[in-house]
Every structure is written in C-alpha cells, then in structure tokens.
Amino acid sequence: MSFFVLGLNHKTAPLSLRERVAFGPENIHLALDELRQQPGIQEACILSTCNRTELYCVVTEGHEGRVRDWWQRHRHVRGDELSGCLYQHQDDEAVRHLMRVACGLDSLVLGEPQILGQLKQAVDLARQHGGLKALLGRLFERSFSVAKRVRTQTGIGAHGVSVAFVAVSLARQIFANMSQTKVLLIGAGETIELAGRHLHALQVGRMTVANRTLQRAQAIAGEWGAEVITLDEIPECLVDTDMVITSTASPLPLLGKGLLERVLRLRRHKPMLLIDLAVPRDIEPEVGELSDAYLYSVDDLQDIVAENQSARQQAARQAELLIGEERQRFMSWYRALPTQEQIRRYRDQAASWQQDELQRALQLLQQGQAPDAVLNELAHRLTNKLLHAPTEALRQAGESGDRETLAILSQALGIDSRPSVEP
C-alpha cells in the first residue's frame, strides 16, 4: 500500500476547469462513498475548495490509475481536458505535499490559515463516511501537528499580505476602540469583501456597504449584518463615518476634496481615515491636504504588503525545515510498519517456547528430579531453540559467500563478522 495524492489547483488549472471538477456540499457525501468503494482504494479523503480539489488516498500497488479514472467519470470530464492540469504525488512526496498544504505554503496567499480549517472539515467528513483508517488518519494528524508548529514557531501568519488586511491593520493602530468605530465600505468586489470580513472579525461598531448595485452589496453585507446604501447616499453617511475603505471600478473619483471639506465641518473636524484601494483612484489625491483627513492610497499600502511578503517568505523557509523533520519522522514510522508485525510474531514465538520449556521443567521437578539438573536442561533447551534460526542463517550466508547478508546478521546479533582465525 502507498499514500497517493491526485489534484489540481489555482496554479495548474483555470477557474472554469476547477469549477467543473470540484465537489460541492450536495455531492461530496456520495463521492466519498463511491471513491472508497473503488477496487484497490483502502482509504480516501476529498478536499475541495475554490482554489483546489485534491483526492488523498491509500491505495494498493498498481491501482493509482483508478483514482483518476473514477474522478473523470464522476465529474464527467474527459482525460484530455485534465491533461497538463493534474499533479500526483506518492508516498514521501505525498506526505510532503499534504503537510505543505496544511501549513498554507501551497496557497494562493502564502501562509493563509483558512486552508487548515478546510482540511479539518474534509477529514471529519471522510471519517464520518469510513474513509479514514490507521494510515491516512495518522498522516492527517501529523500534518495538523506540523501546521501548529509552523504557526507558533515561524510567525508565518503574523504579517498581512493583502492590501485589505493591511488597511484593517492600519485602522487598528489609529482607532483605540474598534467596537466604537463606524466604517463605510464603497464597492462590492473581492477586495471590499475581504476587508469586510476582517472588520467583522474585529467587531466594529457599525459597517455600511455602498455600491452602485444594491443587490450585490446586499449579497456580501448580509454576512456581516451591515447596512446597505446607494452611491447617492454616501455624502449623508460620511458625516457619521470614522473610516472609509473604497475599491470600485469607477473611471472618475467618487469622493472629492470639496465634499470632504463639507463633511469634516459637519463632523466638527473629527478626524477621518480614508483608504483608497481603487485603480484608478476613487478619492481625489487633494483630499490628503485636509488637516483632519488621513488618506492612504493603494501604493502607500503596497510598500507595507511588500515588507510583509518578504517576512512571510523568510518564515516559509523555516516552515519547510520543520516539514522536512516531520515528514522524515512520519515516513520512518510508516516504513517500519511491516517489521512491527514480524517483531510481534517473533516475540510471540519466543514467549511460546518459554512457556513450553517452563511447563516441562515444572513437570520434571514434580517427578523428583534434581533442581540443578532441571534448570540446566531448561537453559540449554531454551537457548538452542532461540539460537537455531539465526545460527542456520549465519551458516547458509557463510557457505554461499554472501558477505552482505553475513554482515547484516552479525550486526543484528551483536557479533563481529570478521573471522577470529585466519584460514
């Protein structure tokens, strides 16, 4: 048996293909049951996110191709469509790949923590469907363990690498109490959505989303319990807003210097933080000239992002070393599995001989034979039984001139393989 990973991700496949091969909540339960019932597949787990779909399996030798065949059939995708997009890893490399995924080293955003939670959900589901047993279950446990080590020992997640995260981090430095901070988000794209998630996690006092299309704004605002307004309602909302984050596709600025001057007067010059993440800009640069308006553009934040990316790259190099240690430790355990059964049988055999000889000795003592003679015979017979197999193996290796086997046996028995007398 071997560990086997088959998958594709944001690096190898376009979104259109990732969507087709992904497993949604409505079909992943059936997919797990089908996959683990395929011939040669002993254990199985499916990880499916917006950026990757991967099948983790324990398969018997020669059955790796069945994983790909089943995936194509189940998702109705031709082999030529997947050609060049799939990657596969086996045993040592499969272990390394899973550990890197768990640590966020293979993610779109280096070091992002969401993938670890998604992996744990996938594992829980696989366990519910009987897809995890001793091997794959142990591998996931070790992968979660190394992910924890990476988080605590490298600080890979300590530095934000998105402008949205950096923008929110900047707000935390400026506002002493985020629970009393009122925020206006202008736009409803990915950047605003990400910023909204970060702000929601900080439990800001109030969050409002302004967008040209209310339906799109409502789609993301509902997740955070935020209010929704149109672009025309922005001036009125600004009067009671402490922080603005904007990221739209507007070709012209939405907020000008004149508007902000009027707003600040109505606010009695209470400071306002404005973060413009749009290109072209949503806020006129001249707004930054106002004494109570603190304006940051996407370029201002990109410098911080670049510094944080460099810090994460350094942390990632440290993480790779930790993964190397954990992978080696896990593979040593895995490779030793076949010998553990042999060791158990050998010990059971020796224990059986011990009991046989002990019972024989007790019977002889009951018959009145001298204890010294009985003990000597017990030691002699037990020693002969224990030494017979290794002695025979040494004799055969010597007679056949098999020096390699002779050396291995000698080392295992703790004896010198060199002849004591020259021939």
Side-chain angles (χ1 to χ4, degrees):
M1 292 187 295
S2 66
F3 295 105
F4 182 69
V5 178
L6 183 69
L8 50 74
N9 60 22
H10 58 280
K11 300 176 184 176
T12 67
L15 177 59
S16 57
L17 180 57
R18 298 202 306 272
E19 289 174 332
R20 292 180 59 197
V21 301
F23 297 89
E26 71 284 352
N27 59 33
I28 195 167
H29 298 271
L30 175 62
L32 272 169
D33 290 337
E34 286 187 7
L35 177 56
R36 69 183 185 86
Q37 291 171 8
Q38 299 304 304
I41 299 178
Q42 306 299 317
E43 302 180 47
C45 179
I46 300 175
L47 172 66
S48 193
T49 72
C50 58
N51 286 328
R52 71 176 65 243
T53 294
E54 295 178 337
L55 311 181
Y56 295 90
C57 303
V58 172
V59 301
T60 54
E61 186 176 356
H63 288 76
E64 294 82 3
R66 292 185 180 273
V67 180
R68 176 171 177 164
D69 293 341
W70 170 83
W71 194 3
Q72 291 176 194
R73 291 196 310 270
H74 189 88
R75 302 309 298 147
H76 308 292
V77 181
R78 300 192 312 274
D80 61 304
E81 294 179 281
L82 293 174
S83 179
C85 296
L86 289 178
Y87 47 79
Q88 64 181 48
H89 305 288
Q90 199 156 353
D91 287 337
D92 190 68
E93 282 305 310
V95 172
R96 177 176 181 269
H97 177 79
L98 174 55
M99 289 183 173
R100 294 187 78 253
V101 169
C103 294
L105 300 188
D106 195 54
S107 298
L108 181 62
V109 177
L110 180 65
E112 60 90 8
Q114 287 84 4
I115 188 63
L116 183 58
Q118 292 166 332
L119 260 177
K120 289 181 177 179
Q121 291 176 359
V123 168
D124 288 342
L125 187 61
R127 186 172 284 116
Q128 293 170 17
H129 285 258
L132 292 191
K133 298 178 184 176
L135 295 182
L136 206 53
R138 178 70 173 264
L139 175 56
F140 276 110
E141 287 177 6
R142 296 311 305 165
S143 298
F144 297 157
S145 176
V146 71
K148 183 177 180 180
R149 285 189 65 191
V150 167
R151 287 284 157 191
T152 56
Q153 297 181 25
T154 71
I156 193 169
H159 307 279
V161 290
S162 71
V163 289
F165 183 88
V166 171
V168 174
S169 299
L170 182 61
R172 294 181 67 184
Q173 297 174 27
I174 294 175
F175 298 106
N177 190 349
M178 293 298 291
S179 65
Q180 297 180 5
T181 303
K182 298 171 183 177
V183 181
L184 171 62
L185 302 175
I186 304 177
E190 183 179 346
T191 300
I192 290 296
E193 187 173 2
L194 185 56
R197 287 177 185 167
H198 292 313
L199 290 165
H200 179 64
L202 295 176
Q203 299 180 331
V204 295
R206 188 196 70 197
M207 191 156 36
T208 304
V209 180
N211 193 53
R212 195 176 307 278
T213 305
L214 282 180
Q215 185 178 6
R216 171 55 186 161
Q218 289 168 344
I220 65 172
E223 180 182 348
W224 321 313
E227 300 175 16
V228 174
I229 62 173
T230 64
L231 298 183
D232 293 336
E233 297 174 277
I234 288 177
E236 183 180 351
C237 182
L238 283 174
V239 178
D240 195 29
T241 295
D242 304 305
M243 173 182 176
V244 178
I245 300 179
T246 179
S247 178
T248 76
S250 174
L252 298 174
L254 299 177
L255 306 182
K257 183 179 180 181
L259 171 61
L260 267 299
E261 281 180 322
R262 294 192 298 274
V263 168
L264 288 170
R265 281 198 301 269
L266 292 172
R267 287 172 56 82
R268 297 184 180 181
H269 297 280
K270 183 181 178 181
M272 179 183 290
L273 172 64
L274 301 110
I275 300 176
D276 187 354
L277 304 181
V279 180
R281 285 182 278 198
D282 284 333
I283 304 175
E284 289 182 350
E286 291 78 14
V287 170
E289 300 172 2
L290 301 175
S291 59
D292 299 308
Y294 298 89
L295 175 62
Y296 292 85
S297 70
V298 68
D299 286 348
D300 296 326
L301 300 189
Q302 285 291 3
D303 293 338
I304 303 175
V305 169
E307 293 177 6
N308 291 354
Q309 284 177 330
S310 177
R312 283 206 178 187
Q313 289 288 352
Q314 183 177 355
R317 289 190 286 271
Q318 297 172 344
E320 293 285 7
L321 295 177
L322 293 177
I323 288 173
E325 294 174 7
E326 291 291 347
R327 178 184 61 169
Q328 185 175 13
R329 188 176 293 114
F330 178 83
M331 290 305 296
S332 295
W333 168 83
Y334 173 61
R335 293 187 181 109
L337 285 177
T339 62
Q340 290 179 5
E341 177 61 21
Q342 292 175 308
I343 292 171
R344 186 192 63 79
R345 290 201 299 266
Y346 183 65
R347 286 184 174 275
D348 288 347
Q349 185 182 59
S352 176
W353 289 338
Q354 179 191 56
Q355 289 299 315
D356 290 345
E357 294 304 322
L358 181 60
Q359 290 299 320
R360 185 176 186 278
L362 290 173
Q363 290 175 1
L364 292 176
L365 289 173
Q366 290 173 355
Q367 293 171 9
Q369 296 195 23
D372 289 350
V374 171
L375 289 175
N376 283 331
E377 185 176 2
L378 168 65
H380 178 72
R381 288 174 60 87
L382 187 57
T383 299
N384 280 343
K385 284 186 175 181
L386 291 172
L387 293 182
H388 174 72
T391 300
E392 183 64 18
L394 282 169
R395 184 187 64 77
Q396 292 179 3
E399 290 179 354
S400 63
D402 188 348
R403 295 184 177 276
E404 182 178 358
T405 299
L406 188 62
I408 293 173
L409 288 170
S410 298
Q411 182 182 16
L413 297 171
I415 59 177
D416 193 340
S417 61
R418 294 173 298 179
S420 59
V421 179
E422 294 293 334

